[in-house]
Amino acid sequence: MLSGQVSADPADPEARIRLAMALLLSGAPDRARYHLLQARGTPLAVAERIQLDALLARIEPRRDREGWLSFAIVPETNPAQRTDTDTIWIGDVPFRLNPNARAQRATGLHISAGGALMPQISAGLRVRLGASVAARLYGNRALRDITLRGDLGLQGQTTGGHDWQITGSLARRSLGGRSFGQGMGLHMSWSQRLGRASVLRLRMDGVNWRFANHPALDGPQLSASADLRHVLRPDLVLTATVSVSRIKARAAHEAGRSLRVGLGAQQSFAGGPILGIDAYTQTHRRDGGDPVLGIIRSDNQVGLRLRAMHRDLTLGTYSPAIEISTTRQRSNSPLHTWRNTRASLSLSRAF
């Protein structure tokens, strides 16, 4: 009944607070936290805000584990991100590409799963031990891409309500059924509330990669990002992201730097539908000239994603969603100019 009230009027903060209290009592603190953060973005009476913040304070100490699982059927026009041209020119000499090296359609199964144990060692301080897998599986074995990762570190919350995390990681990636690379990383994040309706998250990552058969790619990959989440109303959330990255590969033509900017919005409608839209643009420039083409690569990529789901529609404990996205990369290298459009039907759950 309480869930139905939120579906009927997703902009009503009081309905979300009542639902959060029921979820908390039923042992679903993560779902309760989601609705409380949605409600927090609206003007509330003093008593209601005190109640909401007290509920949030009860939830955080109970979050000693987390987990997720999602899988999707994904037809794509160009999952390998290959050019759709049939001929390239090197100087004044034309080269006709093998059809197997050009864009091809494929349908894959995408799987993301993971979990973490977060035992408390003192007030506001926890150890974090996690593991995850991300897999993209296709009938064409050459397209299969699997990454396994383990994490160990610390996380906590300051007296001011700021969340922080420092972890180390080990990752192994395979492509086409063969070992592709191994990475050892350090990851740091910090998040804090800005007023009643916004949360700012800062993140820094550094991973030193070693590649089995591609030593020219060896080297550290560094990135930093800032994400802002703003609850304009309980039924409307806006997001903005800015990130920079630096790849220090052994070969100059594989090294480079990039800048990415993204904007997004998610709207909940009366009756239960939830629609989301995200768009981004990214630029990447290499440090040195390509040994074959004789140019310094410069790429610009843009993407758009639409996502739809219904908050009252579940299959057991899973939430289905439909997603359509398109990505386009323009480059001064014809081999790296491509586009890909995909649609997916996914099932996911958090536990």
Side-chain angles (χ1 to χ4, degrees):
M1 179 178 177
L2 292 175
S3 181
Q5 292 176 0
V6 173
S7 295
D9 188 1
D12 181 4
E14 296 181 3
R16 289 187 181 270
I17 293 175
R18 291 193 296 269
L19 176 58
M21 293 176 64
L23 290 170
L24 189 58
L25 291 173
S26 66
D30 286 337
R31 292 180 59 199
R33 183 174 182 269
Y34 168 81
H35 288 288
L36 290 173
L37 291 176
Q38 295 291 99
R40 201 176 190 276
T42 60
L44 296 171
V46 174
E48 291 175 329
R49 186 162 298 280
I50 292 174
Q51 179 190 36
L52 188 152
D53 288 340
L55 289 171
L56 284 171
R58 286 175 56 191
I59 289 172
E60 293 303 330
R62 296 171 58 175
R63 301 180 68 228
D64 61 352
R65 66 189 63 191
E66 66 183 21
W68 63 94
L69 171 64
S70 68
F71 48 93
I73 302 296
V74 186
E76 301 181 69
T77 60
N78 185 14
Q81 299 178 354
R82 297 169 177 165
T83 182
D84 57 6
T85 189
D86 60 357
T87 303
I88 64 169
W89 292 77
I90 300 179
D92 296 327
V93 182
F95 289 85
R96 190 169 183 83
L97 295 179
N98 186 310
N100 292 329
R102 296 167 54 194
Q104 297 180 30
R105 297 176 179 270
T107 297
L109 174 63
H110 294 192
I111 301 172
S112 175
L117 298 176
M118 302 172 290
Q120 185 170 345
I121 56 178
S122 65
L125 182 63
R126 296 178 181 273
V127 172
R128 182 181 181 87
L129 177 62
S132 64
V133 58
R136 298 174 54 181
L137 308 176
Y138 297 87
N140 182 349
R141 185 181 180 87
L143 298 178
R144 296 180 185 178
D145 186 350
I146 302 174
T147 300
L148 304 175
R149 174 172 152 170
D151 297 272
L152 177 63
L154 298 172
Q155 68 180 54
Q157 188 175 61
T158 69
T159 54
H162 304 148
D163 295 312
W164 61 270
Q165 188 177 120
I166 300 176
T167 59
S169 69
L170 289 174
R172 178 186 291 270
R173 184 182 179 190
S174 66
L175 286 177
R178 297 181 179 181
S179 177
F180 180 67
Q182 299 180 63
M184 179 180 294
L186 178 65
H187 315 271
M188 297 180 287
S189 67
W190 172 274
S191 66
Q192 65 181 69
R193 296 172 182 166
L194 302 178
R196 60 175 172 79
S198 301
V199 176
L200 175 67
R201 184 170 183 261
L202 305 176
R203 184 177 178 89
M204 297 182 66
D205 300 273
V207 182
N208 190 34
W209 282 97
R210 291 292 181 266
F211 296 91
N213 300 307
H214 300 81
L217 298 174
D218 288 355
Q221 298 183 10
L222 311 173
S223 64
S225 65
D227 301 285
L228 181 65
R229 181 180 186 273
H230 179 72
V231 181
L232 191 62
R233 302 189 305 263
D235 61 334
L236 179 58
V237 179
L238 306 178
T239 56
T241 303
V242 176
S243 64
V244 294
S245 64
R246 179 78 170 97
I247 298 175
K248 292 188 171 183
R250 181 180 299 180
H253 67 276
E254 297 290 358
R257 63 196 69 203
S258 65
L259 170 66
R260 179 182 176 119
V261 178
L263 296 173
Q266 179 175 288
Q267 173 75 59
S268 300
F269 294 91
I274 301 174
L275 299 179
I277 182 171
D278 299 280
Y280 76 89
T281 180
Q282 176 176 297
T283 59
H284 183 73
R285 182 176 174 83
R286 306 291 172 130
D287 290 346
D290 187 284
V292 176
L293 300 176
I295 60 172
I296 296 178
R297 262 184 62 192
S298 179
D299 306 331
N300 180 260
Q301 189 176 123
V302 293
L304 178 67
R305 182 184 68 166
L306 303 175
R307 181 178 175 87
M309 59 186 300
H310 197 290
R311 67 176 313 276
D312 294 330
L313 178 61
T314 59
L315 298 176
T317 57
Y318 290 85
S319 300
I322 297 174
E323 185 177 297
I324 299 174
S325 65
T326 182
T327 308
R328 173 72 182 268
Q329 178 166 292
R330 299 179 185 273
S331 174
N332 60 349
S333 163
L335 281 175
H336 301 93
T337 296
W338 53 266
R339 68 179 70 198
N340 183 37
T341 299
R342 73 183 193 181
S344 70
L345 173 62
S346 65
L347 295 173
S348 61
R349 64 173 292 195
F351 48 90

